[in-house]
Amino acid sequence: LNDVNVSTAFSKLGKLCSSRSFPRNIAADDRFRGLTVLARDMCADGRLQAQAVANITHAVGKMSAAGKLAANDADVQDTLAALEGRVVLVASHMNPQNVSNTAYAFAALGRMPGAETRAALEAAVVRVGPDMKPQETANAAWGFATLGWEPGAEARAALEAAVERVAPDMTAQAVANTLWSVLSLAATRAVPLPACYPSLWQAACGFEERSFNRVEISMLFHAHLIHTELV
């Protein structure tokens, strides 16, 4: 398999992991372990480029979030370490979707990236912020907040500008995720509420209650409680 094949295989597994027939612990499958060995080798020799690194990391995050992959498995940990090292080298070539998917993946895995990786991803956010779409903006914000990761001033400003720009076009899910993220960092890291904050509540109020699922309603209520306490 070449790098495109390996990236595609992981992506397909990430899409299939929510099905009932998917293995309960895919890390125990020898075929999956073969893929992780290839991924690590390709990280080591530089074959995995930005798109593939983001796709594989995102897929691993989705499988972990679905409860189908033990993120503390030694083989998985080795693979994540290799991918994280590769992120540092390819982040400058990532597009907005790659950046948001990578941030989402680390959060889904509950894995705080090292300082060098965080710096590389924050620099990427500054670069791609003007081109981020609503879902990409929400995913990046959720990733930071879930990890309790306070971005530096430049990255935060770029993300806030993106939220201000895309808030009117956000889906109900994106609005709920972003509102919770902004308020979560305000509550846990004393991050000032951004100028785009009123726009997010305005966007949320533009939806009917039935537009939100149970998880999203819970996130909005949690956001409301933090707002009541802080603001």
Side-chain angles (χ1 to χ4, degrees):
L1 299 179
N2 62 26
D3 56 324
V4 176
N5 303 146
V6 172
S7 172
T8 301
F10 272 99
S11 293
K12 294 293 185 182
L13 289 171
K15 291 177 181 178
L16 291 169
C17 67
S18 59
S19 67
R20 291 184 177 180
S21 60
F22 199 84
R24 290 188 177 182
N25 179 20
I26 196 171
D29 190 301
D30 288 340
R31 294 163 296 180
F32 181 78
R33 290 194 179 278
L35 281 175
T36 62
V37 170
L38 283 172
R40 292 198 297 272
D41 289 346
M42 290 177 178
C43 284
D45 63 22
R47 276 180 287 170
L48 286 188
Q49 299 303 311
Q51 183 74 52
V53 171
N55 286 353
I56 295 172
T57 309
H58 186 236
V60 173
K62 288 181 71 175
M63 285 183 271
S64 176
K68 302 298 179 67
L69 177 67
N72 61 353
D73 177 89
D75 186 69
V76 175
Q77 284 290 313
D78 289 345
T79 304
L80 289 171
L83 288 167
E84 184 178 334
R86 193 69 187 143
V87 167
V88 175
L89 299 175
V90 302
S92 60
H93 303 291
M94 285 183 169
N95 62 29
Q97 185 179 33
N98 298 158
V99 174
S100 68
N101 281 352
T102 304
Y104 163 88
F106 283 123
L109 289 159
R111 180 187 178 94
M112 175 67 85
E116 197 174 4
T117 308
R118 294 199 303 272
L121 282 173
E122 288 186 24
V125 167
V126 173
R127 178 174 54 81
V128 304
D131 300 315
M132 275 187 163
K133 295 177 182 177
Q135 192 62 52
E136 295 162 353
T137 305
N139 283 353
W142 181 86
F144 289 141
T146 299
L147 288 171
W149 169 1
E150 179 186 351
E154 286 187 273
R156 193 164 68 245
L159 198 56
E160 289 173 5
V163 171
E164 184 70 48
R165 175 173 53 81
V166 303
D169 300 317
M170 280 184 168
T171 62
Q173 180 191 41
V175 169
N177 284 351
T178 308
L179 260 175
W180 177 86
S181 300
V182 165
L183 283 159
S184 178
L185 283 179
T188 62
R189 295 293 182 269
V191 176
L193 292 173
C196 63
Y197 181 64
S199 300
L200 284 170
W201 279 115
Q202 185 175 8
C205 292
F207 291 99
E208 296 182 3
E209 182 183 344
R210 62 184 179 183
S211 301
F212 301 96
N213 64 28
R214 292 174 66 184
V215 173
E216 293 154 8
I217 285 289
S218 296
M219 294 182 80
L220 280 178
F221 186 59
H222 190 193
H224 162 71
L225 292 176
I226 299 172
H227 172 93
T228 302
E229 186 70 22
L230 291 181
V231 184

